[in-house]
Amino acid sequence: MTLSLIEGLLLVFVLGCAIGAAVLRDVLASLMAFAAYSLGISIIWVMLEAPDVGLTEAAVGAGIMTILFILALANTVRPQENGLFESLSVRTVVLVGAFVVVMVATVPSLPPVGADGTVHPNPVVSGEVTQYYIDNAYADTEVKNAVTAVLAAYRGFDTLGEAVVVFSAGVAALTVLRQEVFA
Amino acid sequence: MFELLNSHYNYFAVMLLLGIGLYMLIESRNLVKKVIGMNIFQTGIFLFFITLAFRTGGNPPIIKEGGGPYVSPLPHVLILTAIVVGVSLTAVALALIIRIYTEYGTLDEDKLKQLYYD
């Protein structure tokens, strides 16, 4: 598929917010740029037909994450420094530029965005696993949303592992902060 | 080059987001900004996965009679898990940052290094 205007604008917005988060000197300003970035990218998920991911990103990425960052800032310090932007370090820009160039060199070997396997092969979309889930998800689990079916049934142990990660993170945060309850 | 940009646009965005995230991880002196950079790096990888799952004219994978073709549900599931794990990671990182601040009274990387070696 070719780039449509709205997708192009969204990508420019998201990249602009990311660059803003990188170069703004004030931590709170950088955080706000990051929140806008999360919201923009959740709209991109919806454009890419991933509404579940879009909802999660908007609620968790833009919502809870921003609250966590603001709580951390409230408990620490927001350094008052002069100047709106950070100065760019040439050495790091060269290093990161080299990294990006190497990564971009792999782009021509990837399938075009939206390839369905008819003209350009796209093993993710036309693969056996995808086809199996779409054909059998409803019959096996009686859940119409294939994402839910895979999340809770086929890969249920993955989700259990995820719950373990969240629990350990809670325990770790309490231990580090030397508290017994979240207050 | 323009043709490649027009057909692979999301992948270029992925690589640029990875670059921006890496730059923040290396160059930001404030620890909170480093964590923001880590999150941007993560979302870049998410974009890569969701783009691979997308097909032109595909519908969200909610199965109904004659509703196809659908985009692939599997990368969506992996990314849902990864988003939640990312938040847990951020929470622990921020807890460590609060603790560092109570111990050392600064979040500046250079000052922390100095305090640590003194």
Side-chain angles (χ1 to χ4, degrees):
Chain A
M1 198 172 82
T2 52
L3 182 58
S4 67
L5 180 67
I6 184 157
E7 278 173 304
L9 286 176
L10 272 172
L11 285 178
V12 168
F13 173 74
V14 161
L15 285 170
C17 285
I19 291 173
V23 297
L24 283 169
R25 191 179 280 262
D26 185 33
V27 188
L28 192 62
S30 171
L31 174 58
M32 286 306 120
F34 175 67
Y37 164 86
S38 287
L39 210 58
I41 212 147
S42 72
I43 300 171
I44 289 185
W45 300 152
V46 177
M47 301 286 299
L48 291 173
E49 307 294 347
D52 308 78
V53 185
L55 278 175
T56 314
E57 177 78 35
V60 172
I64 296 180
M65 199 96 96
T66 313
I67 294 174
L68 284 178
F69 273 111
I70 288 177
L71 278 179
L73 276 186
N75 281 298
T76 56
V77 67
R78 177 182 161 202
Q80 301 293 335
E81 284 167 290
N82 298 325
L84 190 57
F85 298 113
E86 305 244 14
S87 50
L88 286 179
S89 145
V90 178
R91 204 172 53 164
T92 318
V93 168
V94 169
L95 180 79
V96 170
F99 170 78
V100 171
V101 166
V102 171
M103 296 295 276
V104 163
T106 66
V107 167
S109 20
L110 291 163
V113 177
D116 54 8
T118 46
V119 185
H120 300 279
N122 183 351
V124 179
V125 165
S126 53
E128 246 175 84
V129 182
T130 296
Q131 206 49 48
Y132 180 87
Y133 285 145
I134 285 170
D135 290 343
N136 298 305
Y138 187 61
D140 285 351
T141 62
E142 299 195 7
V143 178
K144 283 198 174 145
N145 187 340
V147 174
T148 314
V150 178
L151 188 77
Y154 293 111
R155 300 183 69 91
F157 277 112
D158 244 24
T159 309
L160 180 65
E162 176 191 328
V164 172
V165 169
V166 174
F167 176 72
S168 332
V171 173
L174 284 181
T175 316
V176 166
L177 295 174
R178 288 189 177 150
Q179 290 182 356
E180 290 190 356
V181 286
F182 287 105
Chain B
M1 186 63 201
F2 181 73
E3 196 130 310
L4 190 68
L5 184 67
N6 202 19
S7 62
H8 289 72
Y9 47 95
N10 270 0
Y11 298 114
F12 286 98
V14 169
M15 307 315 173
L16 286 174
L17 286 178
L18 294 187
I20 295 168
L22 196 63
Y23 179 85
M24 286 184 82
L25 274 171
I26 298 173
E27 195 51 44
S28 297
R29 279 162 63 211
N30 188 297
L31 294 182
V32 178
K33 281 190 74 178
K34 270 191 203 293
V35 179
I36 294 179
M38 185 181 72
N39 275 304
I40 288 179
F41 195 95
Q42 258 177 359
T43 346
I45 295 168
F46 298 167
L47 185 58
F48 181 76
F49 271 67
I50 302 290
T51 305
L52 272 177
F54 179 67
R55 65 185 288 172
T56 308
N59 290 322
I62 295 163
I63 315 291
K64 53 178 178 254
E65 281 294 316
Y70 301 108
V71 297
S72 178
L74 185 58
H76 296 185
V77 175
L78 298 179
I79 294 315
L80 280 179
T81 310
I83 288 177
V84 175
V85 170
V87 173
S88 312
L89 196 65
T90 308
V92 175
L94 290 175
L96 283 169
I97 284 174
I98 293 177
R99 184 68 192 280
I100 288 171
Y101 182 72
T102 46
E103 297 284 323
Y104 292 98
T106 179
L107 288 181
D108 187 290
E109 197 184 28
D110 297 342
K111 284 182 194 152
L112 278 172
K113 218 177 265 172
Q114 229 166 27
L115 283 172
Y116 181 77
Y117 286 119
D118 281 350

